[in-house]
Amino acid sequence: MWKWIFKPIVWIFSKFLKLPLWGQMAILVAVSVTALVLMTVSFGHKADYRTVAVAEGPMFVGRGGDLSDTLHISPGDSLRLLARQGEMVWAETPDGRFRGVIPAGVAVAPEGLPERSLKQDRKISFRKYLRMVDDPDFSMERLYDRVTVNSVKTTPDSIVVVPNLVLLDDWWNMFRVSFTFNPDGSFAGSHYWPTSFRHWLSAVTSHEPMMGGDGLRAHITDLFSWVISRPEFPAVMSTWLLSGIFLNLVPFLPLCLLMGLLALRRPLYYVPNWAVNLLIAACILFGFWLWPKLMLLRGYPFISAYPLVWVITILVVGLFWGLYRGLRCPRCKRLEDHELVSTEVLSQRYRDRKGETVKRRTHTGTTTAYTERTRNGQVEGREKEWEEKHFDEEVETWVDRVRIDKVRELYRCRHCGHERVKIRRKESWVSRRDTGSENRKTSDFKRF
């Protein structure tokens, strides 16, 4: 089964590596842009199935353990059905002012109604949140007009609303927020807290957001909020696939664009190769700086985001250096145009390497140590402490003759004739000489 799954993937990857560099970068950019377009379409999408209630029931405005803010739905009331969530249906009033869940029997939901995303949030900067609460006209009605509400708790003295908002400070630490309103709907106060313990920096600083500078990061956060937020009613159902493409390719779009400019040659013709190598290194570091942050923003745990990125960083940098070392011709600045024209063996030497294989292995005995468990001088039981198994082995041995060549390879640019020399080490097997067999005793030790 796994063979039929991985074989096409390996075939596609091999064909991809055989493409010229500009072709590889063009494919990566096209896939990334397509994923961004589909995510853009999904964000803000809202299904619109207008219907009327067929039974009496409540509409729970918000969701949570204590749902007390409800609307009464009567048969014949107009509703706009939005999505399913388990056995409930998300709906809103025709004017869009109130939204919540209704039992499935209150209105007839059509087939194909999308599923509401369980993990969905709208991310805004902390400065935007501060401007919101500093507005003298801010009220519960204005909050309901701006965002979706996760839960509402009503008491005789106040109404506590937890909206579908995540606040980001300048270091992209995430905070949840709740708003408290007076019974007449006027704003009374708000409270925020880190989303989880993984944001250790917020915990160290007493949960205070990290803000400083001129607010450029806050402006960037609000400008690209649609990218880092997770849509509530996605138009494209396979958002996990789009999120995977987004996380893995979008951080490296600057590198892909730089490779495309190098393939076109003229835009960066006068930039020396050492500067190009620095630009490539900067793009790679930027990608691996942005990658784990996007993983955190999309809901991945901290413990898996950063170690995973560190390991992949080492692998990808090694692969990139192995595939694209000597990226440009120093003279004509074309990519990967040096071809092998001659090979010369500079020196040869031979080396013998011993090898062996176990032909027969016979178990001859076992030595075991036990620890006795006693109580009041009486032995209650024994526990195995360690065990050593003994074997007689018949081993066949041989000696391989290996030739080690020091090879000088000459590469020449197909366009300008620039030459590049590469010295490498090449090993080749020559012969094998059997040296007989021998008997020996071995053992395997195991502790319990």
Side-chain angles (χ1 to χ4, degrees):
M1 174 183 174
W2 293 108
K3 176 182 176 181
W4 297 108
I5 294 176
F6 288 106
K7 192 173 181 180
I9 297 176
V10 173
W11 182 82
I12 293 173
F13 188 69
S14 63
K15 294 296 183 182
F16 176 79
L17 290 179
K18 291 179 181 179
L19 293 174
L21 184 59
W22 65 267
Q24 296 176 7
M25 297 302 115
I27 290 176
L28 293 178
V29 172
V31 172
S32 301
V33 171
T34 302
L36 282 176
V37 170
L38 292 176
M39 291 178 66
T40 305
V41 172
S42 291
F43 190 82
H45 171 78
K46 186 166 62 176
D48 190 1
Y49 297 98
R50 294 181 180 272
T51 185
V52 294
V54 296
E56 186 174 1
M59 174 188 285
F60 301 104
V61 181
R63 59 183 174 86
D66 183 10
L67 295 175
S68 55
D69 193 354
T70 61
L71 295 177
H72 181 74
I73 303 298
S74 301
D77 289 349
S78 297
L79 294 172
R80 181 184 290 117
L81 304 185
L82 302 174
R84 294 182 183 273
Q85 185 167 324
E87 298 180 356
M88 308 291 280
V89 178
W90 275 86
E92 69 179 16
T93 55
D95 58 6
R97 183 174 180 182
F98 296 101
R99 176 192 296 181
V101 289
I102 60 175
V106 173
V108 179
E111 294 294 333
L113 199 65
E115 290 285 339
R116 184 175 188 260
S117 174
L118 294 177
K119 290 184 177 181
Q120 40 80 32
D121 52 42
R122 179 186 171 194
K123 297 182 173 69
I124 63 173
S125 69
F126 216 94
R127 286 181 174 82
K128 188 172 183 178
Y129 154 75
L130 294 177
R131 291 196 301 269
M132 183 188 303
V133 297
D134 290 340
D135 186 356
D137 297 328
F138 182 63
S139 62
M140 186 172 65
E141 182 177 357
R142 295 194 63 178
L143 179 67
Y144 270 57
D145 291 339
R146 293 182 180 182
V147 297
T148 308
V149 174
N150 279 351
S151 62
V152 180
K153 183 176 182 179
T154 304
T155 65
D157 301 327
S158 64
I159 303 173
V160 180
V161 178
V162 180
N164 184 29
L165 283 179
V166 172
L167 313 180
L168 301 179
D169 66 1
D170 285 350
W171 287 8
W172 279 5
N173 296 309
M174 291 187 281
F175 299 81
R176 287 287 182 187
V177 62
S178 65
F179 297 92
T180 303
F181 298 95
N182 297 315
D184 60 355
S186 60
F187 178 64
S190 62
H191 174 68
Y192 56 84
W193 62 95
T195 56
S196 70
F197 181 73
R198 72 170 178 261
H199 300 291
W200 55 271
L201 192 60
S202 298
V204 171
T205 56
S206 302
H207 308 326
E208 287 301 319
M210 294 292 181
M211 292 187 294
D214 56 1
L216 178 61
R217 292 183 182 180
H219 178 72
I220 294 176
T221 298
D222 295 328
L223 183 63
F224 292 98
S225 175
W226 60 274
V227 175
I228 58 180
S229 298
R230 291 176 291 190
E232 185 177 14
F233 306 111
V236 182
M237 298 309 296
S238 58
T239 52
W240 62 270
L241 177 60
L242 296 179
S243 180
I245 295 173
F246 170 78
L247 290 176
N248 292 286
L249 294 184
V250 170
F252 299 98
L253 276 181
L255 178 62
C256 295
L257 294 175
L258 177 60
M259 291 295 131
L261 292 176
L262 292 176
L264 293 175
R265 193 168 72 102
R266 286 298 178 186
L268 298 177
Y269 182 83
Y270 296 103
V271 179
N273 280 0
W274 64 267
V276 168
N277 292 334
L278 288 179
L279 288 175
I280 292 174
C283 290
I284 292 176
L285 291 176
F286 171 78
F288 285 107
W289 171 80
L290 183 62
W291 194 7
K293 292 183 179 296
L294 291 178
M295 292 181 71
L296 293 180
L297 292 177
R298 299 294 289 187
Y300 286 79
F302 180 91
I303 195 64
S304 66
Y306 276 89
L308 179 66
V309 169
W310 291 336
V311 172
I312 295 179
T313 298
I314 299 173
L315 296 178
V316 171
V317 170
L319 178 64
F320 186 86
W321 179 253
L323 290 175
Y324 305 122
R325 182 172 48 189
L327 203 60
R328 293 201 304 176
C329 173
R331 185 181 298 168
C332 67
K333 306 298 176 63
R334 286 183 171 88
L335 292 179
E336 299 178 307
D337 281 319
H338 283 71
E339 57 184 357
L340 180 64
V341 294
S342 66
T343 302
E344 178 186 358
V345 178
L346 300 178
S347 64
Q348 286 185 350
R349 58 190 178 94
Y350 292 87
R351 174 179 293 178
D352 291 336
R353 291 181 178 173
K354 296 181 179 180
E356 63 180 32
T357 182
V358 178
K359 184 178 180 180
R360 186 178 295 108
R361 194 183 201 208
T362 305
H363 180 223
T364 58
T366 303
T367 304
T368 308
Y370 294 92
T371 300
E372 293 186 344
R373 201 170 54 248
T374 61
R375 175 180 291 182
N376 299 326
Q378 300 294 324
V379 177
E380 287 189 339
R382 296 195 306 169
E383 294 181 356
K384 186 182 292 187
E385 184 177 351
W386 56 266
E387 176 184 85
E388 188 172 15
K389 292 184 177 181
H390 308 287
F391 301 91
D392 283 339
E393 294 180 345
E394 183 180 351
V395 182
E396 290 184 346
T397 61
W398 65 82
V399 175
D400 281 339
R401 189 71 167 171
V402 180
R403 189 181 71 215
I404 302 174
D405 298 334
K406 184 179 180 181
V407 181
R408 177 181 182 270
E409 295 178 341
L410 177 63
Y411 293 85
R412 183 176 293 137
C413 180
R414 295 194 299 265
H415 299 277
C416 67
H418 178 269
E419 294 183 349
R420 179 180 289 155
V421 176
K422 181 179 180 181
I423 306 295
R424 68 184 184 92
R425 182 172 175 266
K426 180 182 177 182
E427 294 186 2
S428 56
W429 178 82
V430 177
S431 63
R432 171 170 293 182
R433 177 170 54 89
D434 291 330
T435 55
S437 62
E438 62 180 26
N439 296 321
R440 66 186 182 188
K441 297 182 180 296
T442 61
S443 61
D444 291 339
F445 181 84
K446 182 180 179 182
R447 184 176 294 278
F448 293 90

